[in-house]
């Protein structure tokens, strides 16, 4: 006990010494491994330092990144080709010449036999295309949509044929080429490609309008939501010339008054006054959005400074891109409450659409306009071209039909709507593009 008494007496110092030893040992063991890890990481970082003049240290990273960029570009091409294949399903040739055009790629020469047969087939296509919208017939009082030229407008004027041959169509609204010209002169391959391509675009727009009416109910012109088409134009443009074009609008102000368009006819954005809002014209010049449909091209053979104007069929037409765009301009009479739905339906086109401008104005006015009791009412724009030469009982029936059109368009919810946009046409994948895409895929595309 006497020996343990010493331990008990000095137990504090014994425990203190033991704790000091254990703490020192623990610190040494812990910091030793940590210091080794720090030194290892420092050595790794030091190895990444660039000696001045030794050159870029990330050449491989740059090269791999370039592969990824090439791969993304090829993905864009492949996606464009996929969209082309989907679009090609609606690019159907007339049944009478379809067998003659098997394997003919866009823009290629068309067989001679098809050149001779196309005018007759095209006339049939015009009739079929017009029926897509279920046009109102004043004689039978059947149909859903009135086709009637409103006159003027900013989309390019009436009679501008899509194939470069003038315009001839029901009521002068739909921009078909004139097949009568081809009965005298056989159309060229280029004329046929242009006419057929625009016909596909027209059919797509009319299909969207028909689907819009069908989805929103109504079985006649009196209760559908879109009741008249007054203008439909397809044009090209030169976006690079927009700045110069805008400078030519003498007196152009923020309301579009006093502006004159490249195509002539109609103020850009419509005039009118605050006291007569119903008279405001919604027409505008689409060239304000896509540029003029022509561009100047200098020729070496001409004198210095000389240039010639060339027609621009497309707005975007870069051969390095898998698509091209063509502008459209439409003027319709419809229920303004359904305008958002109409734009959505247009955007579902087989030829992807980008809306670039929309104008809307009340069509019939209200009892508060101009102090009248019935507002400012406007008719449908006169008789259809189909009634010319008809008289007697037939003429009377047509007059009744036109009265029904006017009555349908007097709906207080009716508005004049003009819409401009771009329709996208995809290009088929060329053999060179396929080879480039395949080579890039073989090289890899990951960092």
């Amino acid at each position: 006990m006497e020996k343990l008494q010493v331990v008990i007496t000095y137990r504090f110092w014994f425990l203190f010494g033991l704790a000091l030893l254990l703490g020192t040992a623990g610190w040494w063991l812990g910091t030793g491994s940590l210091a080794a890890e720090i030194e290892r990481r420092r050595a790794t970082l030091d190895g990444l330092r660039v000696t001045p003049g030794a050159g870029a240290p990330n050449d491989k990273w740059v090269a791999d990144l370039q592969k990824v960029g090439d791969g993304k570009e090829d993905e864009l091409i492949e996606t464009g080709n996929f969209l082309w294949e989907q679009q090609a399903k609606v690019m159907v040739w007339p049944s009478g010449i379809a067998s003659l055009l098997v394997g003919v790629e866009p823009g290629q020469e068309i067989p001679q036999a098809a050149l001779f047969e196309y005018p007759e087939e095209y006339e049939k296509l015009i009739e079929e295309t017009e029926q897509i919208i279920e046009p109102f017939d004043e004689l039978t009082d059947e149909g859903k949509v009135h086709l009637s030229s409103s006159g003027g407008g900013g989309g390019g004027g009436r009679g501008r044929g899509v194939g470069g041959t003038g315009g001839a169509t029901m009521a002068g609204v739909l921009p078909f080429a004139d097949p009568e010209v081809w009965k005298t002169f056989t159309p060229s391959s280029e004329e046929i490609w242009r006419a057929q391509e625009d016909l596909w675009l027209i059919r797509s727009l009319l299909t969207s309008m028909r689907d819009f009416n069908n989805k929103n109910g109504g079985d006649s012109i009196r209760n559908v939501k879109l009741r008249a088409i007054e203008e439909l134009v397809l044009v090209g443009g030169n976006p690079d010339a927009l700045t110069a074009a805008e400078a030519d609008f003498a007196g152009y102000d923020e309301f579009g008054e006093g502006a004159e368009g490249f195509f002539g006819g109609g103020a850009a954005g419509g005039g009118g006054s605050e006291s007569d809002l119903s008279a405001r014209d919604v027409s505008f010049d689409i060239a304000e959005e896509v540029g003029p449909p022509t561009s100047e091209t200098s020729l070496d053979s001409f004198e210095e400074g000389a240039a010639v104007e060339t027609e621009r069929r497309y707005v975007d037409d870069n051969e390095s891109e898998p698509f091209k765009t063509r502008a459209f301009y439409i003027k319709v009479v419809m229920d303004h409450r359904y305008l958002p739905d109409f734009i959505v339906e247009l955007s579902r086109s087989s030829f992807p659409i980008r809306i670039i401008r929309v104008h809307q104005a009340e069509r019939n006015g209200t009892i508060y306009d101009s102090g009248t009791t019935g507002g400012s009412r406007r008719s449908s724009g006169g008789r259809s071209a189909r009634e010319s030469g008809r008289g007697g009982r037939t003429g009377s029936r047509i007059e009744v039909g036109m009265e029904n059109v006017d009555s349908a368009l007097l709906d207080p919810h009716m508005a004049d709507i003009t819409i401009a946009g771009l329709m996208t046409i995809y290009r088929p994948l060329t053999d060179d593009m396929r080879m480039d895409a395949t080579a890039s895929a073989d090289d890899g595309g990951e960092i």
Side-chain angles (χ1 to χ4, degrees), residues 257-328:
E257 299 178 3
E260 293 184 0
F262 284 98
F263 301 104
S273 63
E274 292 183 3
S275 62
D276 188 16
L277 294 177
S278 62
R280 176 165 293 184
D281 184 13
V282 296
S283 300
F284 60 87
D285 186 357
I286 192 175
E288 296 172 21
E289 301 298 326
V290 300
T294 59
S295 60
E296 290 189 350
T297 303
S298 299
L299 298 179
D300 295 336
S301 58
F302 279 47
E303 296 180 3
E304 184 177 355
V308 295
E309 284 194 345
T310 57
E311 180 185 0
R312 291 179 62 95
R313 175 170 173 78
Y314 303 102
V315 178
D316 301 296
D317 189 19
N318 189 335
E319 292 292 340
S320 64
E321 296 177 342
F323 65 89
K324 52 192 174 183
T325 62
R326 186 146 165 78
F328 72 91

Side-chain angles (χ1 to χ4, degrees), residues 207-209 211-212 215 340-349:
T207 298
S208 294
M209 296 181 193
D211 292 346
F212 165 74
K215 290 179 180 179
D341 296 333
F342 180 51
I343 292 177
V344 169
E345 196 62 47
L346 285 176
S347 300
R348 290 173 176 157
S349 166

